[in-house]
Amino acid sequence: QQPVQSPQAVILREGEDAVINCSSSKALYSVHWYRQKHGEAPVFLMILLKGGEQKGHDKISASFNEKKQQSSLYLTASQLSYSGTYFCGTEILGSQGNLIFGKGTKLSVKP
Amino acid sequence: GAVVSQHPSWVICKSGTSVKIECRSLDFQATTMFWYRQFPKQSLMLMATSNEGSKATYEQGVEKDKFLINHASLTLSTLTVTSAHPEDSSFYICSARVGAGGSSRGQYFGPGTRLTVT
């Protein structure tokens, strides 16, 4: 049931773009994206609900393809502060609302 | 808005003792809270779902008699690790869900509690 995230790791230069994918084998109610820095708790980025959504904030956006049960997180013109591990958390349709997290994508932004 | 606090931030205890970790939603009411543990360089693993006023639902493989969860109010859930052993050392993180069921507007995490059992 654990969603599959890809890539596992990515290294960028400041200003470059990145895409992180999250794929589930189960029908989903929602997909949540978080960023976690070393030694800290995950920070909520955004939630996408079933019905197909796209949303963004500043230069981070995401989409949810309900038919494919896939979500993608887009990081545009990356900044040093974007470095961290990104997790997608999936809420399976009909569940109690608990999230199942992918293994994470480690993003490193270099100057 | 949507601030979740945890206390303590870290704790070192001796093997065999019990440790209580508190999770509070500061500016909203949380009918449902979740407890996760995370080992170094690994993903978050859900331990249990805590519902206010009812018994927690534990994930498979999590001992409910060892990890006691109490969700006594809409803003407080506690996790007690009983008779802790070194293998219980981990980063424990709680989250609280904003909204309920179909109106879920995300889960917000507390800052985590690092438990070290010596």
Side-chain angles (χ1 to χ4, degrees):
Chain A
Q1 290 187 347
Q2 184 177 36
V4 177
Q5 276 186 245
S6 63
Q8 290 184 329
V10 58
I11 299 174
L12 297 175
R13 292 272 179 205
E14 249 184 313
E16 292 181 338
D17 303 338
V19 180
I20 300 171
N21 299 302
C22 175
S23 179
S24 174
S25 60
K26 298 284 187 181
L28 301 176
Y29 176 76
S30 66
V31 178
H32 304 226
W33 285 98
Y34 294 84
R35 175 171 61 217
Q36 184 178 30
K37 293 189 182 281
H38 181 68
E40 300 177 8
V43 172
F44 175 75
L45 294 176
M46 63 186 78
I47 176 176
L48 300 118
L49 302 179
K50 71 183 282 293
E53 273 199 320
Q54 294 183 30
K55 58 175 61 171
H57 181 70
D58 288 337
K59 294 178 179 175
I60 299 176
S61 62
S63 63
F64 178 27
N65 185 322
E66 191 181 7
K67 286 186 180 178
K68 294 183 178 180
Q69 304 303 327
Q70 288 178 353
S71 178
S72 295
L73 184 72
Y74 306 93
L75 304 163
T76 306
S78 57
Q79 305 167 19
L80 295 176
S81 61
Y82 286 4
S83 293
T85 300
Y86 289 77
F87 291 98
C88 68
T90 53
E91 181 181 359
I92 295 174
L93 202 60
S95 70
Q96 286 192 76
N98 53 288
L99 297 180
I100 304 173
F101 287 89
K103 292 186 176 181
T105 296
K106 185 175 181 180
L107 177 73
S108 301
V109 181
K110 308 289 186 185
Chain B
V3 178
V4 178
S5 71
Q6 263 184 259
H7 178 83
S9 299
W10 58 270
V11 57
I12 301 172
C13 70
K14 293 191 175 180
S15 190
T17 60
S18 295
V19 173
K20 180 185 281 189
I21 302 170
E22 293 187 348
C23 176
R24 293 182 186 272
S25 56
L26 298 185
D27 52 359
F28 66 101
Q29 293 184 330
T31 307
T32 304
M33 291 183 174
F34 304 92
W35 286 96
Y36 297 85
R37 66 188 295 182
Q38 185 179 35
F39 292 105
K41 297 185 179 179
Q42 293 189 22
S43 186
L44 295 92
M45 297 302 297
L46 179 68
M47 298 175 66
T49 301
S50 169
N51 292 300
E52 187 266 338
S54 63
K55 290 183 178 180
T57 304
Y58 291 81
E59 294 300 299
Q60 195 171 14
V62 177
E63 298 175 59
K64 61 181 179 181
D65 294 330
K66 181 170 184 60
F67 298 99
L68 301 178
I69 292 173
N70 186 298
H71 194 154
S73 77
L74 288 171
T75 58
L76 173 65
S77 177
T78 60
L79 168 69
T80 301
V81 182
T82 62
S83 187
H85 290 284
E87 57 265 30
D88 298 324
S89 298
S90 187
F91 192 44
Y92 292 86
I93 316 173
C94 73
S95 71
R97 187 169 69 184
V98 178
S103 65
S104 176
R105 288 181 282 122
Q107 285 187 31
Y108 290 83
F109 284 84
T113 297
R114 189 162 302 282
L115 171 64
T116 304
V117 185
T118 60

